Amino acid sequence: MNLMDQTFTRLKSNDQTALIPFLTIGDPDIETTVDIIVELEAAGADIVELGVPYSDPLADGPVIQRASQRALKHKVNIRTCMETAVKARSAGVKLPFILFTYYNPVLQFGLDQFFAELNAHEISGLIIPDLPIEESADIYRMAETAGIHLVPLVAPTSDERIASIASSAKGFVYCVSSLGVTGERASFFEGIEDFIQKVKTYTDLPVAIGFGISSGEQAARFARICDGVVVGSAIVRQIEETIPLLQDAERRQEGLLQIRNFVSQFKSE
Ligand SMILES: O=P(O)(O)OC[C@@H](O)[C@@H](O)c1c[nH]c2ccccc12
């Protein structure tokens, strides 16, 4: 049972829902990312999704695309992201980490080396949104051998695939709340609650929801039926808007506190 499993088990025993923020590593720079991860933990985050910036983020909306562009200026890659996880641990962060990356950077890195280093860097989970179906069995196996859960995404339109995805999942099942790309939303897929309940009939694993969640009310709505709530773009936008403070030595702490306060709204009691 890895740290992410332990976290979900503890939260479930307390009838709580995991708050799972996403941020792009290296946005606006690595040192600031480490400081922000410390704030995410202080804000009540339970697991952190560490996003590897990518030049062609097909599933991402404009907010995360901009974050990726800012991070890529610092030549952030998978190895830098793993090193960032170590720096966050050294800063005292106890949270489990999920590495979020598109598939191409993993292939460039080399599959064997990738999983060996994930294990060495104590990464608990992995999300690869564009993993080709025909290659997923091998990657699942390599991940489990390395003690890492490859978390699958399931969308409301995955109909006939929901059973196979959910029943073979590891770690947790990531339900996508809407069609399209990431980005804050005012509304979600019609019947999203029914979709979540349907996914839960196929797995005993935790079920988390993501895509579009941008307010405490939306997070609380989903916390009633999910084991985890993922928030990305809303937090990445908050980081983007706070960059002027974060890059001003006099006002950096003020900026970090603003991020902490913003994120704390998503933690449901
Ligand atoms: O940004 P949103 O709408 O809050 O959605 C979470 C999302 O950021 C994160 O889980 C993620 C970032 N990029 C992705 C691409 C595909 C699936 C999921 C993601």
Side-chain angles (χ1 to χ4, degrees), residues 158-197:
S158 309
D159 276 352
E160 67 287 346
R161 287 189 33 72
I162 289 177
S164 64
I165 294 172
S167 54
S168 59
K170 305 290 182 196
F172 66 92
V173 179
Y174 185 145
C175 293
V176 171
S177 76
S178 322
L179 306 184
V181 298
T182 59
E184 303 104 310
R185 286 165 165 81
S187 61
F188 302 95
F189 183 84
E190 187 65 31
I192 185 68
E193 276 87 353
D194 295 339
F195 163 60
I196 293 165
Q197 297 301 355

Side-chain angles (χ1 to χ4, degrees), residues 22 49 59-60 64 100 102 127 129 153 174 176 181-185 210-214 230-234 236:
F22 165 94
E49 219 177 281
D60 281 302
I64 291 179
F100 171 94
Y102 284 89
I127 296 177
L153 299 168
Y174 185 145
V176 171
V181 298
T182 59
E184 303 104 310
R185 286 165 165 81
F211 270 50
I213 298 169
S214 53
V230 181
V231 182
S233 299
V236 173

